[in-house]
Amino acid sequence: VQLQASGGGLVQTGGSLTLSCAVSGLTFHWHVIGWFRQASGTEREGVSCIGVENTSTYYKDSVKGRFTISRDNSKNTAFLQMNSLTPEDTAVYYCAAGITSCDADVMETKFNMDYWGKGTLVTVSS
């Protein structure tokens, strides 16, 4: 199983980036896809997730209205559109897949995803 996150980079405050997560080796549409991030010196936190067949979504409070998660089951790929970025969004972003729920319990506490990819660095300059 491979999860490849891409799309990170350096952007100014107020800018936008779209992260992609290309998944292989599993039945994509059976799995919840989650995006997590970890800033230097901090613990990992859940950012957003999307359920199978786009049935549900979750967003961390601080990204609501700015980030949009989506998935294309025909291409085994998930996306995280990030707008109005601030320096507080600077982190390594990871995508993960799991046969689990897409909800606050998973994203804020359990983090019980089955597969994790390597991260992509997002840096927002002030």
Side-chain angles (χ1 to χ4, degrees), residues 31-32 36 44 96-116:
H31 290 74
V32 168
F36 299 79
R44 178 183 54 182
I99 297 182
T100 184
S101 303
C102 173
D103 56 35
D105 191 34
V106 170
M107 297 300 292
E108 296 174 9
T109 305
K110 292 181 178 178
F111 296 167
N112 56 328
M113 293 292 186
D114 301 306
Y115 306 100
W116 294 79

Side-chain angles (χ1 to χ4, degrees), residues 41-121:
T42 70
E43 294 186 350
R44 178 183 54 182
E45 60 182 10
V47 176
S48 181
C49 63
I50 186 166
V52 298
E53 307 295 349
N54 298 298
T55 52
S56 60
T57 58
Y58 159 92
Y59 294 96
K60 178 180 174 60
D61 283 347
S62 63
V63 308
K64 285 180 180 177
R66 300 188 299 121
F67 290 12
T68 302
I69 193 170
S70 61
R71 64 190 294 163
D72 185 340
N73 287 344
S74 69
K75 296 182 178 179
N76 288 7
T77 303
F79 306 93
L80 186 67
Q81 171 71 43
M82 305 186 296
N83 298 326
S84 303
L85 287 162
T86 73
E88 288 68 38
D89 297 314
T90 294
V92 177
Y93 284 71
Y94 301 87
C95 61
I99 297 182
T100 184
S101 303
C102 173
D103 56 35
D105 191 34
V106 170
M107 297 300 292
E108 296 174 9
T109 305
K110 292 181 178 178
F111 296 167
N112 56 328
M113 293 292 186
D114 301 306
Y115 306 100
W116 294 79
K118 295 181 180 180
T120 186
L121 177 62

